[in-house]
Structure formats: structure tokens, C-alpha cells
Amino acid sequence: MEIPGRISDILRQKSPDIYSIKPTAMVFEAIQLMVEKKVGALAVMKGQELFGVVTERDYMHKIIVRGKSSKNTEVGTIMTEKLITVGPENSVTEALRLMTGERIRHLPVLEGKRMMGLVSIGDLVKWVISAQDSALSQMESYISGGYPG
């Protein structure tokens, strides 16, 4: 089933803020920022260049389980470096397939090398639900005779 919409449509509905942290920052700072901003991932950047993504999962798997200290470990040592990205022109369906296939929850959106945003699986699910609600409303209107056309 093809879901209507592009990643750019989702980005337009989100805050334009991109929450990021430097690779030399301590993991504790990253976790504090995630809690403050109520997000599950941060872009790891040097200036405007994307180096990786650090997620709650990275923290859980690479700090807590291994008994490391989040106050003495740099973000760069636990971030995900092998990035899977999409462009703003990619479809929502493509992004969902990619995230499901790769078992990831966050996708950086790049236009060339420029970071446009970060979409989560939650963003995509919310979009799908909205698209389904819209389709159902149109069908109900058509069935009741109110469909124009």
C-alpha cells in the first residue's frame, strides 16, 4: 500500500529546530538534552556537518549495559556513525520500509550534505494515521452522497 506524502511534508509539520550535540560532549549532556527537548535522538554535528546520531538506545546498549559512566564518556564513542538517511523528496512509504528493514527509529533528512531534520518512526506513524483518517472521511462522504465529483 502506497502512503501519500513526502518526507518534506512531515518536516513542514514539525518544529524547524534540529537538536544536536558535538561528538566531544559527554553522554550525560546528550541525555539531559533529550529529556529537556522530549526527543529520543540527537544529531551529532561539528558545525553544520553531520557525523552521526545518538539515541536512547545507544545510551542503553553502550553505557548502561556495559557499566560505563555517562559523565565520563564522549558522545562520539557511542553514536551511530553508519548513517542511513533520506532526502526530503523521499516518500513516506520509502522511509517506513527503510526504517523497518534496517530496524531503526530515527532517520536524518539530508539535502545534499545539509541537515534538514530528523524524522522518527513516531512521526511517520502519526502521518499514516492522519492519511487513513482522511481517506476514511472521504469514503464516508462518498457513501452518504456528499462526495463532489
Side-chain angles (χ1 to χ4, degrees), residues 27-48:
V27 172
F28 187 78
E29 295 172 62
I31 297 302
Q32 282 182 313
L33 184 57
M34 283 187 232
V35 169
E36 176 189 324
K37 301 300 182 184
K38 297 181 176 133
V39 295
L42 299 172
V44 180
M45 301 181 77
K46 279 187 187 174
Q48 298 299 312

Side-chain angles (χ1 to χ4, degrees), residues 55-85:
T55 68
E56 295 165 322
R57 259 188 182 176
D58 291 324
Y59 173 67
M60 188 173 56
H61 288 247
K62 299 171 185 172
I63 296 290
I64 293 183
V65 172
R66 295 185 180 164
K68 290 185 178 181
S69 168
S70 60
K71 291 185 178 182
N72 299 323
T73 306
E74 289 186 353
V75 168
T77 63
I78 72 160
M79 71 183 180
T80 301
E81 293 179 74
K82 182 184 168 237
L83 293 178
I84 298 164
T85 65

